[in-house]
């Protein structure tokens, strides 16, 4: 077992007076896909957003405890949020490409970082779109508005946009739940390829998806982690009765 790339330790989160996360402890290993599952409202998205400080943007949020990325506490005042979110990128449920060309979507982060070399940008556009398994579908229309593509293509463009800045971790919040089954399957296959180079933490309400693609699964309920283990064990022989009831579909 390798050293964790991200560790949450004793993490509590409050929205105003409401405590949404209770003492979360989770380690994520590099080059694995970890799935976060659990009933609606149990804190999966809230937890995911803690991992690259997206909750900082929400008023009235209080967070205590620690999230470490390698050895760095990301909640320390020294953390540069732009750098952090480059290292730990995020893909959302609804595809959210910017309303401009595919090419400009993919190069957006690089241009902000000051990359101007056209040949380098071209290379990264091609590499990122290939990694996101959408190159063949968009390569002849790179200067078309990204919004003119299908939902599934837009989502893969969004994945490519994250990949373009070379993150080490990709957070995904139900990235296929707005997509048709064929597009979802393409994205699942893409993730299985991407884990060779990246670490992926994915929220999914689709238990089959979690069992198909993830190495580890964390089961959340009411802001707590009930159980966290190898996916093969979680779905076949979990330790906890609540986990068993949930993965066998007895409540949702
Ligand atoms: N911005 C917010 N302000 C207040 N409460 C919130 C906010 N976002 C989520 N919550 C609450 O926190 C709890 C966990 O929500 P969430 O993380 O979205 O759950 P999940 O992703 O598992 O469905 C829920 O009770 C939800 O209503
Ligand atoms: Mg959610």
């Amino acid at each position: 077992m390798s050293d964790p790339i991200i560790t949450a330790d004793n993490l509590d989160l409050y929205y105003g007076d409401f405590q949404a996360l209770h003492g979360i402890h989770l380690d994520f290993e590099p080059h694995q896909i970890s799935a976060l599952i659990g009933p609606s409202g149990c804190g999966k998205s809230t937890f995911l957003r803690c991992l690259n400080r997206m909750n900082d943007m929400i008023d009235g949020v209080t967070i205590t405890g620690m999230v470490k990325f390698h050895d760095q506490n990301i909640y320390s005042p020294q953390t540069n949020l732009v750098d952090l979110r480059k290292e730990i990128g995020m893909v959302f449920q609804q595809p959210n490409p910017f309303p401009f060309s595919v090419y400009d979507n993919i190069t957006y982060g690089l241009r902000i970082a000051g990359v101007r070399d056209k040949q380098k940008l071209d290379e990264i556009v091609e590499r990122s779109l290939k990694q996101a398994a959408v190159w063949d579908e968009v390569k002849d229309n790179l200067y078309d508005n990204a919004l003119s593509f299908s939902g599934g293509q837009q989502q893969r463009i969004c994945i490519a946009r994250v990949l373009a800045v070379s993150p080490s971790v990709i957070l995904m919040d139900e990235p296929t739940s707005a997509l048709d089954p064929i597009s979802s399957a393409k994205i699942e296959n893409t993730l299985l390829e991407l884990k060779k180079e990246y670490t992926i933490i994915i929220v999914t309400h689709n238990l089959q998806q979690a069992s198909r693609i993830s190495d580890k699964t964390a089961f959340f309920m009411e802001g707590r982690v009930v159980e966290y283990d190898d996916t093969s064990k979680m779905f076949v022989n979990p330790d906890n009765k609540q986990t068993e009831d949930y993965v066998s579909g007895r409540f949702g």
Side-chain angles (χ1 to χ4, degrees), residues 36-57:
L36 312 179
I37 63 169
S40 184
C42 67
K44 305 178 297 292
S45 296
T46 298
F47 174 71
L48 196 72
R49 288 196 299 267
C50 287
L51 303 182
N52 70 348
R53 291 189 50 178
M54 295 290 276
N55 290 313
D56 287 23
M57 299 172 185

Side-chain angles (χ1 to χ4, degrees), residues 22-26 47 218-221 223-228:
H22 299 258
I24 307 292
H25 179 90
L26 286 173
F47 174 71
F219 172 52
F220 280 68
M221 261 190 40
R224 292 185 165 80
V225 175
V226 174
E227 187 165 352
Y228 179 48

Side-chain angles (χ1 to χ4, degrees), residues 44-45 173-174 203:
K44 305 178 297 292
S45 296
D173 196 349
E174 307 203 20
V203 170

